[in-house]
Amino acid sequence: MKSLSLFITHRDILWNLVGKNLKARYAGSVLGILWAFINPLLLAAIIGFVFTNIFRMPVENFYLFIIAGMLPWSCLAGALQESALSIPAHVSLLKQFSIPREVVPLSVVVTHFVLFLTALLAVLPIFILSYPKTVMFLPLLAAAVLLWFLFTLGLALLLSSWCVQNRDVHQILGTFLTFWLWLTPVFYSVDMIPEFYRWMVLVNPVYPFLQIFRESLWHASGGIVRFLAVGILLCGFSLAAGSYVFARKEGDFLKRI
Amino acid sequence: MIDKQPAIAFRNVFEAYEVEIKTDHQIIRESFEALKGVSFTVQPGESVAVMGPNGAGKSTMLRLIAGLLRPEKGDVNIHGRVSSLLDLGAGFHPELTGRDNLLLNASLYNFSRADMNARLESILAFADIGKFIDVPVRCYSQGMYVRLAFSLAIHVDPDILIIDDCLAVGDDNFRLKSIDKVLEFRTRGKTVILVTHDFAAARQVCDRGLYIREGRLLRDGPVEEVIASYVTPVKVDADRYRFLAAKLDDDERRQVEQDRLKQQELRERRLAPVELSVAGGLRLIAAPGKVQLFMDSCQLTDEDGIRVLFDYGDNLDVTSATAKWRVLQTSRDSVICLLRWAGNIQVSQIWRWARTASGDIDLRIEMRTRDGRLTGNRRVECRLTGLGDTPGGKNKSVRLGADNNVLFITGSSDQVTGRYLYSKGRETIYFLSLWDEPKPETSGPERRWKPFFSGTFHVADQEKIAAANIVDEKPHVLTGGDVQLFFAGGRADLGRSGKRLTSGMGLYTSLYVRGVWHDSAQARWSVLNGDDARLLVKGCWPWVPVVQFWDIQMEGSDRIQINLRMKVLRDTPIRVYETALMLNSDYRQWSSGGHVNAFPSDVTKDDFFRICLSSRDADGKNYLACHGEGMPETVFAPALLPGQRIVLENAGHVGATEARLLHCMKVFGHQEPFMPAGEYQLFNGHIYIKGGS
């Protein structure tokens, strides 16, 4: 897993790029990194309002339920959207320096996880106040974040190299992510899905990760070992596919952009 | 060098891009070969200029060296840290400030932050962009961009520095500074790769040149040779060849290729510098647009060397430096070149350089025009490395420097010499044609070859030059009683009973045009009609399109009638014209109706005396009388024309000669920009020489 070894061999470059991404992201904005949790919280508030008052969801502590799902999801969606265009966006760097190119999507993913963790730490006290048991589950939460990171990274590598060759991928990505979001039990729980469609959730690779997050934050019911096992498997699969495709295409990057 | 490995080694490198060709109906994917089997090695410490037309594969090569691309086939081996200046702004993020970008780049160059901070000071000092260093890079001008990028590239301590033609963006100051820095970098045994279209920079920085075209390395050698071969190929032929090649089979293609090479060889021969030397040590090197003259090992001419200038219709000062140049014939004894100009200047010239038996170099220039729009202002210029000298004073020859004996002698009578100091200690000498009234044309269009200039570069010995210094020009003498007038070369002296009344220039005329005074002594004069009592002369002027006719007549023993006319051949911005009489400084008083006034006794620069008169005598005539101990009273009495006035001054401030200067001048206001072509009365009046001793 070359991209992970970069954490050690090219850590200076990586952290500088992350720093650059963060600075560039909030260049000229007053609230700066506060947006990292203002945005998902606002979204959660709106969705929570709609679902509790209009659709009348029978879920206990529904806002927390949504936040526990929204934060990881928006991290994934943001990282994928940005990493899809990361190679063309960093063309000026790639034309100047002969650096391992994995560092570019890697830095994008790390950037989004920095934002994710910031937001997570900000909302964690609320969870702890509502469910004091959460403190016990913090190691599980850490494991969830780690697995989630590896899974996202694999997809980001795949998408970033794929998009260099085929820009259409990025166009469809936004729509696809929205579609995926609705198919994923973020705003609803699995129990609400009619038995007939349940399989759709079961084949959704995001579902196990969400369950781990929910288990540690919101305390969904059981089956955590099974989800962890599937999650690890999915991570390995995602990373392997991403690394393989990226390594095969990377030689052509400069010729294509 | 401890490291014996080459810094850069290419072995049979191929690189290809896939390009999409989008037409209306379909998209064709095609492989485009940017490099087709390139091999070379560069040793540490070498500096190499990479040249070639756009799209030749230069950038691809640089990217391979920088490790940004991997070769399709073949090997690329690089030893050492590479820093590159490939694309303007590469490596900088627009939203970050210059300083943040430097820190980011530092990590990309594998520098620690501490290392970078240590260098920051000198990077900023070199880039010299002031407070802009803390401004987001997107606000930078291109110049600032390149300043910062170059400064960074050179300060990260690379072993190989790659520069891709972006220095041209900086201003002169920065460019010179950068070139200095690159040269310094070279002396430390580092490798420099420079892609440039600026031959001067290539020559300055690099010893070796690579010439790439269509993905192939065509030449690899000393930079001068490679530049020569780069200049030669002409694009049109390559296009024609490609067009033909697409249609032909192999045999025909080979034939066309051979043709092309032959053409190219011919062209190279036509453009290559040719040399002509004679036994005396005189040597001439003629290259397109530049002809330089050497004596032994000493270069006599500089910059543009020897060139011609002429006016053609509205094109003023068309010069041979911009001509298309072709060597028609070259042998041990002669060189013949054909010069043609582009655009609407339909002029051809043939320059013939020939050795003579006496060890001189002869130059004959002939000229042909399509429609005869050629005008007078023709001249041959020779830019010297030192100061020229005009031995013999008069118009025939110029010495190419005070410390050599090379004379440039005109071979035709309608050319005069001139000298012009163009920078400290350096002079331009020239032969320039005279303006004359147009002669009635004998034949129709000017399709014939006509002489433009002929002259000789002659190595004389010192005695000959000294002998030439003594002017033996016989003046024309008018006599009336004991008063005599001597006319020679555009000036006249007055004398009575063997005593000279005038000094310096005597009687002369002068014109002030475009900030320069042109006086009658520069013109060439010919006597139209003359006897003891009357003289009619014509003067043809260089520079100013003017012909003057002087009619001087002795009327008895004390009166000289002077009538000067001027023909202006083309509209000319003549600001002032004047007729002047320079009298001996023994004249001490002047009067103009009534009072007698004294001239200031000392003629110094500080005591500048000048007075304008408009008084008339009892008859309504203007006059100015000068008196002096032992001198006859001299009266200057012009019949003033509208706008003319008499000006009196001490001439000491003008030059070394002390004299009383009496002018009759007309000064045009600024609302009258030029004198239209036509004939003008310049001066009409008398000079009286009365009484005295």
Side-chain angles (χ1 to χ4, degrees):
Chain A
M1 299 287 121
K2 186 181 171 194
S3 44
L4 292 179
S5 70
L6 295 179
F7 267 116
I8 300 165
T9 54
H10 289 76
R11 55 183 179 278
D12 275 356
I13 298 181
L14 178 61
W15 290 117
N16 267 304
L17 281 177
V18 169
K20 182 220 75 173
N21 286 344
L22 287 174
K23 271 187 198 166
R25 188 179 191 89
Y26 296 114
S29 94
V30 180
L31 293 180
I33 200 153
L34 286 178
W35 285 111
F37 57 91
I38 294 178
N39 267 333
L41 287 187
L42 275 178
L43 197 59
I46 293 163
I47 291 169
F49 175 80
V50 171
F51 277 77
T52 45
N53 296 312
I54 299 173
F55 292 109
R56 310 213 174 258
M57 279 294 191
V59 180
E60 176 198 5
N61 265 337
F62 188 66
Y63 283 97
L64 292 185
F65 174 82
I66 289 182
I67 289 172
M70 271 303 290
L71 285 184
W73 174 266
S74 53
C75 171
L76 173 83
L80 291 192
Q81 288 234 351
E82 198 176 323
S83 60
L85 286 184
S86 62
I87 298 294
H90 288 76
V91 66
S92 84
L93 281 188
L94 297 177
K95 277 187 175 175
Q96 180 70 21
F97 302 102
S98 131
I99 46 171
R101 276 141 197 169
E102 284 89 348
V103 83
V104 169
L106 177 64
S107 77
V108 170
V109 173
V110 171
T111 306
H112 279 270
F113 268 80
V114 169
L115 299 177
F116 171 48
L117 286 177
T118 316
L120 198 58
L121 287 178
V123 295
L124 201 54
I126 308 175
F127 281 100
I128 293 174
L129 283 179
S130 313
Y131 308 103
K133 263 203 296 181
T134 305
V135 183
M136 315 257 294
F137 282 92
L138 282 181
L140 184 60
L141 181 63
V145 170
L146 179 66
L147 288 178
W148 190 231
F149 173 78
L150 296 177
F151 178 72
T152 311
L153 177 62
L155 290 187
L157 285 173
L158 187 72
L159 271 174
S160 61
S161 53
W162 199 9
C163 275
V164 173
Q165 189 178 26
N166 195 340
R167 299 285 170 100
D168 298 328
V169 172
H170 178 253
Q171 299 298 332
I172 194 75
L173 187 62
T175 318
F176 175 75
L177 282 172
T178 315
F179 178 61
W180 195 0
L181 169 63
W182 290 108
L183 284 187
T184 308
V186 173
F187 308 131
Y188 49 88
S189 63
V190 187
D191 325 332
M192 296 179 206
I193 308 172
E195 199 68 40
F196 185 72
Y197 294 109
R198 201 80 45 100
W199 62 271
M200 286 203 302
V201 175
L202 295 180
V203 299
N204 187 340
V206 174
Y207 175 62
F209 297 101
L210 274 189
Q211 280 311 103
I212 303 171
F213 274 112
R214 291 236 168 93
E215 182 63 33
S216 56
L217 288 170
W218 191 77
H219 313 297
S221 46
I224 186 66
V225 177
R226 188 166 45 110
F227 287 129
L228 271 176
V230 176
I232 290 169
L233 217 69
L234 280 170
C235 283
F237 188 70
S238 151
L239 260 184
S243 303
Y244 175 71
V245 173
F246 195 93
R248 256 196 34 184
K249 307 220 168 189
E250 116 185 89
D252 278 358
F253 280 176
L254 266 201
K255 298 183 190 171
R256 293 190 179 276
I257 47 180
Chain B
M1 245 5 67
I2 307 156
D3 193 359
K4 276 289 173 200
Q5 276 175 314
I8 302 167
F10 271 50
R11 222 181 61 219
N12 202 24
V13 172
F14 283 79
E15 185 64 303
Y17 293 87
E18 195 170 87
V19 287
E20 284 180 358
I21 302 167
K22 289 182 182 166
T23 61
D24 291 345
H25 311 292
Q26 52 186 348
I27 297 174
I28 308 166
R29 280 174 184 272
E30 222 172 65
S31 177
F32 167 74
E33 290 201 303
L35 291 181
K36 303 168 188 166
V38 172
S39 305
F40 65 92
T41 53
V42 177
Q43 299 300 329
E46 272 193 296
S47 56
V48 182
V50 181
M51 286 169 279
N54 294 339
K58 302 187 295 287
S59 297
T60 307
M61 201 170 106
L62 295 192
R63 285 181 184 173
L64 282 164
I65 297 175
L68 303 174
L69 289 179
R70 271 165 240 160
E72 202 102 319
K73 270 193 271 174
D75 288 323
V76 174
N77 284 306
I78 309 293
H79 292 276
R81 183 208 290 270
V82 180
S83 106
S84 58
L85 219 56
L86 296 182
D87 285 282
L88 204 57
F92 286 166
H93 193 282
E95 286 297 340
L96 300 187
T97 66
R99 194 185 297 273
D100 286 343
N101 265 309
L102 287 184
L103 293 174
L104 172 65
N105 271 269
S107 67
L108 292 162
Y109 274 120
N110 254 333
F111 267 89
S112 70
R113 194 162 272 246
D115 251 358
M116 197 59 188
N117 281 330
R119 275 158 219 258
L120 208 56
E121 198 70 15
S122 53
I123 293 180
L124 296 189
F126 190 84
D128 192 21
I129 56 172
K131 59 189 172 201
F132 272 89
I133 190 66
D134 291 316
V135 169
V137 163
R138 69 185 144 86
C139 304
Y140 281 25
S141 71
Q142 284 211 322
M144 291 191 223
Y145 236 122
V146 83
R147 272 165 176 261
L148 194 61
F150 181 83
S151 186
L152 174 72
I154 199 117
H155 280 98
V156 293
D157 209 16
D159 302 306
I160 303 170
L161 177 68
I162 307 175
I163 304 173
D164 190 358
D165 214 15
C166 40
L167 287 187
V169 179
D171 57 22
D172 275 354
N173 185 14
F174 184 73
R175 250 182 42 226
L176 292 179
K177 205 161 83 169
S178 327
I179 286 178
D180 274 357
K181 197 79 190 172
V182 174
L183 288 175
E184 179 206 313
F185 183 77
R186 254 188 63 186
T187 58
R188 282 188 282 146
K190 305 300 178 92
T191 311
V192 180
I193 309 289
L194 174 75
V195 170
T196 185
H197 298 280
D198 175 3
F199 300 142
R203 281 194 190 101
Q204 208 175 348
V205 175
C206 303
D207 312 317
R208 179 173 161 195
L210 299 180
Y211 174 50
I212 298 187
R213 218 175 81 193
E214 289 163 27
R216 293 200 169 81
L217 181 62
L218 293 188
R219 265 174 215 238
D220 177 357
V223 70
E224 273 308 324
E225 283 174 24
V226 175
I227 287 176
S229 68
Y230 177 36
V231 178
T232 335
V234 174
K235 190 180 173 302
V236 178
D237 273 39
D239 279 352
R240 197 189 67 181
Y241 171 64
R242 207 174 297 135
F243 172 72
L244 286 172
K247 298 186 156 191
L248 302 175
D249 64 30
D250 282 351
D251 259 0
E252 288 170 309
R253 202 171 293 168
R254 211 164 295 131
Q255 183 65 43
V256 173
E257 173 69 19
Q258 269 171 12
D259 264 14
R260 190 174 69 97
L261 288 176
K262 212 150 115 195
Q263 288 281 338
Q264 186 168 324
E265 197 188 314
L266 269 176
R267 192 176 305 116
E268 277 172 28
R269 222 167 50 207
R270 279 182 199 147
L271 289 173
V274 287
E275 190 176 330
L276 190 70
S277 51
V278 290
L282 203 56
R283 196 153 55 91
L284 179 113
I285 294 179
K290 282 190 180 180
V291 180
Q292 306 287 10
L293 198 69
F294 298 79
M295 180 71 189
D296 297 324
S297 61
C298 172
Q299 186 168 358
L300 302 180
T301 57
D302 201 5
E303 298 198 17
D304 290 332
I306 302 160
R307 59 175 188 166
V308 303
L309 294 110
F310 55 87
D311 292 355
Y312 179 82
D314 299 329
N315 301 287
L316 302 183
D317 289 348
V318 179
T319 135
S320 57
T322 60
K324 285 181 191 157
W325 183 281
R326 209 169 118 193
V327 177
L328 295 180
Q329 192 189 318
T330 163
S331 69
R332 250 187 88 241
D333 296 317
S334 70
V335 172
I336 302 178
C337 314
L338 175 69
L339 281 78
R340 275 189 295 211
W341 279 264
N344 60 348
I345 303 169
Q346 300 181 334
V347 176
S348 324
Q349 283 190 347
I350 287 186
W351 293 32
R352 290 169 212 271
W353 305 89
R355 291 159 30 127
T356 64
S358 50
D360 300 338
I361 294 181
D362 255 347
L363 168 62
R364 265 193 305 135
I365 302 176
E366 288 173 343
M367 179 166 202
R368 189 169 78 169
T369 60
R370 183 72 55 85
D371 53 5
R373 290 201 294 152
L374 200 64
T375 47
N377 192 19
R378 297 178 286 138
R379 54 193 200 274
V380 176
E381 266 192 13
C382 192
R383 281 224 145 159
L384 302 183
T385 48
L387 290 176
D389 182 17
T390 34
K394 258 314 187 189
N395 300 349
K396 289 296 267 183
S397 63
V398 195
R399 184 147 64 148
L400 270 57
D403 50 357
N404 63 61
N405 302 329
V406 183
L407 286 179
F408 188 20
I409 307 168
T410 174
S412 69
S413 60
D414 64 345
Q415 305 238 326
V416 294
T417 57
R419 285 164 57 190
Y420 174 71
L421 199 69
Y422 73 90
S423 75
K424 196 166 181 244
R426 290 171 163 222
E427 230 173 4
T428 306
I429 55 173
Y430 34 64
F431 283 101
L432 61 166
S433 68
L434 298 161
W435 290 88
D436 201 351
E437 294 170 290
K439 296 187 185 84
E441 202 52 59
T442 44
S443 66
E446 307 249 326
R447 289 289 292 170
R448 293 170 297 124
W449 288 101
K450 289 178 170 177
F452 177 91
F453 174 80
S454 66
T456 308
F457 292 93
H458 173 66
V459 187
D461 47 39
Q462 282 293 352
E463 290 98 81
K464 262 192 198 160
I465 290 180
N469 266 319
I470 301 157
V471 192
D472 186 21
E473 198 171 357
K474 210 166 175 228
H476 189 96
V477 188
L478 299 182
T479 318
D482 50 358
V483 173
Q484 282 183 309
L485 182 142
F486 306 86
F487 174 87
R491 36 180 299 260
D493 274 319
L494 293 175
R496 185 160 126 166
S497 315
K499 184 165 179 67
R500 193 173 173 207
L501 306 182
T502 50
S503 86
M505 297 278 288
L507 179 71
Y508 69 97
T509 64
S510 197
L511 305 170
Y512 188 70
V513 184
R514 293 189 189 96
V516 182
W517 285 100
H518 301 272
D519 61 50
S520 55
Q522 292 170 352
R524 175 154 301 170
W525 294 84
S526 50
V527 177
L528 299 180
N529 203 342
D531 54 29
D532 268 4
R534 186 169 184 181
L535 179 66
L536 192 61
V537 288
K538 171 180 162 186
C540 295
W541 293 53
W543 294 119
V544 194
V546 152
V547 180
Q548 287 191 357
F549 297 91
W550 291 13
D551 182 0
I552 306 173
Q553 198 173 351
M554 304 295 284
E555 295 181 338
S557 63
D558 63 348
R559 201 156 79 129
I560 307 165
Q561 153 84 37
I562 296 168
N563 186 5
L564 310 181
R565 285 181 303 117
M566 171 164 79
K567 263 189 192 166
V568 178
L569 304 173
R570 305 168 84 189
D571 301 347
T572 310
I574 298 178
R575 192 61 77 210
V576 181
Y577 66 76
E578 64 166 19
T579 308
L581 180 65
M582 230 185 212
L583 286 182
N584 199 313
S585 54
D586 286 344
Y587 283 98
R588 307 254 182 224
Q589 291 100 34
W590 60 275
S591 63
S592 179
H595 293 293
V596 174
N597 307 286
F599 285 104
S601 54
D602 288 327
V603 183
T604 61
K605 272 186 184 135
D606 302 330
D607 190 14
F608 169 47
F609 163 75
R610 183 174 184 159
I611 191 162
C612 295
L613 302 172
S614 52
S615 58
R616 291 145 194 260
D617 67 3
D619 306 330
K621 280 187 185 159
N622 314 86
Y623 76 95
L624 181 64
C626 292
H627 320 277
E629 194 76 19
M631 304 296 283
E633 182 186 357
T634 299
V635 182
F636 185 58
L640 285 187
L641 301 166
Q644 288 186 347
R645 62 178 178 229
I646 300 178
V647 175
L648 176 64
E649 63 185 307
N650 269 337
H653 70 283
V654 177
T657 320
E658 290 184 9
R660 316 301 181 197
L661 193 47
L662 288 58
H663 308 267
C664 167
M665 61 163 61
K666 170 150 177 155
V667 180
F668 289 92
H670 287 270
Q671 67 275 23
E672 300 162 286
F674 57 77
M675 275 178 93
E679 194 167 343
Y680 298 86
Q681 180 85 50
L682 196 63
F683 180 89
N684 188 17
H686 292 91
I687 294 174
Y688 300 91
I689 300 175
K690 296 174 180 170
S693 57

